Amino acid sequence: MLGAAAQAPGKHWAENAHCSGQDVEVFVPLVDGPRQDPEHVRKTHGVALNRPLNFCAACPLAVSARCLVESLKHDDEFGIRAGLLASERLELRAKWQERRDSHAVAAALHGATTALTDSERQEVIARFACDPTLNSAAVARALGVTHKHLLKLASRSRLRLVPAMHSSDSSGAA
């Protein structure tokens, strides 16, 4: 999926989507949400969903893949994206938040602003906290926080490491 999404590069990828220029309301059915049963939504509102789902089905694979990746990156809870209802993306969203992209983490450590999952963000902070050679201004910029706030986050991260180190030392002493 990520490989296919890469085939629709740049910030203007959505211009190639078949939904481009359409009424956004069509793609946000009020009957669907992240906690709905997708089978029930499709069964009870299938006809109303045909139009937006047909737009998605007609999209090029690269655009559809990019649409899904972007919705996962931005944790979109509502709306039809890449031919999937919000309720159908719930499990994908949870898995996406658990994943760690080492390239995104490395980029953030070097100052690149990129969408990070909570897990990736925590890894950036933990690595910054343990590596005094990293440029704090660049990491703060990448995380979208002030320098002062980054130092607080790093301090908290180091405090979490201390109990973990002590518990592993005591388990080995027994």
Side-chain angles (χ1 to χ4, degrees):
M1 176 176 64
L2 292 173
Q7 299 300 312
K11 62 182 179 181
H12 302 292
W13 64 271
E15 291 173 0
N16 295 322
H18 286 265
C19 63
S20 179
Q22 298 297 316
D23 180 14
V24 174
E25 297 292 322
V26 173
F27 297 92
V28 188
L30 297 176
V31 296
D32 184 36
R35 307 218 191 335
Q36 302 297 326
D37 176 21
E39 289 181 34
H40 175 74
V41 172
R42 282 189 183 261
K43 185 184 290 184
T44 57
H45 301 285
V47 174
L49 298 173
N50 283 344
R51 184 170 177 233
L53 292 175
N54 285 338
F55 273 111
C56 292
C59 262
L61 176 62
V63 172
S64 186
R66 178 75 183 264
C67 182
L68 180 57
V69 168
E70 291 296 320
S71 78
L72 296 173
K73 276 185 181 179
H74 299 290
D75 200 24
D76 290 344
E77 285 189 88
F78 298 95
I80 296 171
R81 297 292 299 264
L84 296 174
L85 299 170
S87 51
E88 293 171 320
R89 291 193 318 272
L90 183 62
E91 190 173 333
L92 284 173
R93 285 179 45 233
K95 294 291 184 194
W96 185 270
Q97 289 301 319
E98 293 172 6
R99 78 180 239 303
R100 289 192 182 177
D101 180 347
S102 60
H103 297 294
V105 170
L109 288 169
H110 289 95
T113 55
T114 183
L116 298 170
T117 65
D118 290 340
S119 177
E120 291 163 345
R121 185 178 174 84
Q122 291 306 317
E123 184 175 340
V124 169
I125 293 166
R127 288 176 56 182
F128 171 77
C130 296
D131 187 349
T133 65
L134 291 170
N135 180 329
S136 59
V139 174
R141 181 179 62 248
L143 294 177
V145 299
T146 64
H147 182 260
K148 184 177 179 179
H149 188 65
L150 175 62
L151 296 179
K152 283 182 186 178
L153 293 171
S155 177
R156 289 181 194 152
S157 179
R158 282 190 290 273
L159 289 174
R160 280 193 296 270
L161 288 175
V162 172
M165 289 172 52
H166 287 302
S167 67
S168 66
D169 288 347
S170 63
S171 65

